[in-house]
Amino acid sequence: MIANLVQLAAEEEQNPLIPPGPELLVGTIAFAIVFFFFWKKLLPNINKVLEERRAAIEGGIEEADAMKVEAQSVLEQYKAQLQEARHEAARLRQEAQEQGATLIAEMRAEGQRQREEIIAAGHSQIEADRKAAASALRQDVGKLATDLAGKLVGESLEDHARQSRVIDRFLDELEEKAEATR
């Protein structure tokens, strides 16, 4: 047994990093089979997937760049439309102010015209009322003057023509005296 152990120890003195020949040959063949399988089957699929990913990423980048350019174009269009809308709003506001000023001027002129008409109508009405009052006053004064004159004279002055002449003469004398005192 000791002899067996010595023989085993002598065999073990070989380099443990270098495997025995037959084991090395089997390992190399197994590695070649696995390498051939990876090289023929897996490597093309991996390359294909990687190429698809690269194409998708490049296409995505190109699409993103195109979308960025399109978004920038749309933004510029919106800015132009916004500027145009602001300009149009300012123009409409200016037109509205001008129309408002014109309308105010027209309304003032119309108000002035209506005021003048009302004043003229008022003067006409006052003049008509004054004439009506003067006529009524003339009749009342004439009646009172006729009655008074009839009492003073002692005879009735009921004759209308005579009464009218007396009244007119009396009122004319009153008007002359009134004008003389002014």
Side-chain angles (χ1 to χ4, degrees):
M1 179 148 182
I2 294 187
N4 281 339
L5 283 175
V6 171
Q7 191 180 15
L8 278 176
E11 288 178 8
E12 281 184 23
E13 286 191 24
Q14 263 187 334
N15 190 354
L17 294 177
I18 299 177
E23 199 176 297
L24 185 63
L25 183 65
V26 170
T28 304
I29 293 173
F31 176 76
I33 292 172
V34 169
F35 179 77
F36 181 76
F37 174 75
F38 276 119
W39 184 59
K40 283 292 188 182
K41 296 290 182 182
L42 242 45
L43 192 61
N45 287 340
I46 291 172
N47 284 337
K48 180 181 171 186
V49 168
L50 287 176
E51 185 62 30
E52 287 174 358
R53 278 190 174 176
R54 187 188 60 76
I57 289 171
E58 286 177 359
I61 290 172
E62 289 173 2
E63 186 177 325
D65 287 342
M67 291 179 98
K68 182 179 178 183
V69 168
E70 183 180 344
Q72 188 68 25
S73 171
V74 169
L75 177 64
E76 292 300 322
Q77 287 176 349
Y78 285 146
K79 284 181 179 179
Q81 287 176 351
L82 180 62
Q83 184 65 27
E84 184 178 325
R86 285 180 179 159
H87 180 68
E88 182 68 17
R91 185 186 63 78
L92 289 175
R93 187 173 37 249
Q94 181 66 27
E95 284 180 8
Q97 287 176 348
E98 290 171 1
Q99 288 176 352
T102 303
L103 186 61
I104 288 172
E106 288 174 359
M107 294 304 251
R108 281 186 180 156
E110 179 65 20
Q112 188 72 11
R113 187 190 58 78
Q114 287 178 356
R115 184 185 73 134
E116 294 298 326
E117 286 179 1
I118 291 170
I119 289 172
H123 286 305
S124 298
Q125 183 65 36
I126 289 171
E127 186 62 28
D129 288 346
R130 188 188 66 75
K131 286 181 180 178
S135 176
L137 183 61
R138 196 176 267 261
Q139 287 176 358
D140 290 343
V141 168
K143 178 75 173 141
L144 288 173
T146 305
D147 289 344
L148 183 60
K151 287 182 185 179
L152 287 175
V153 171
E155 72 179 75
S156 174
L157 297 173
E158 290 298 320
D159 181 16
H160 190 56
R162 192 184 319 164
Q163 180 182 10
S164 187
R165 282 191 313 265
V166 169
I167 291 170
D168 287 338
R169 191 178 52 214
F170 177 73
L171 289 176
D172 288 338
E173 289 173 7
L174 282 177
E175 285 180 9
E176 286 175 13
K177 287 181 181 177
E179 286 179 12
T181 59
R182 282 187 194 175

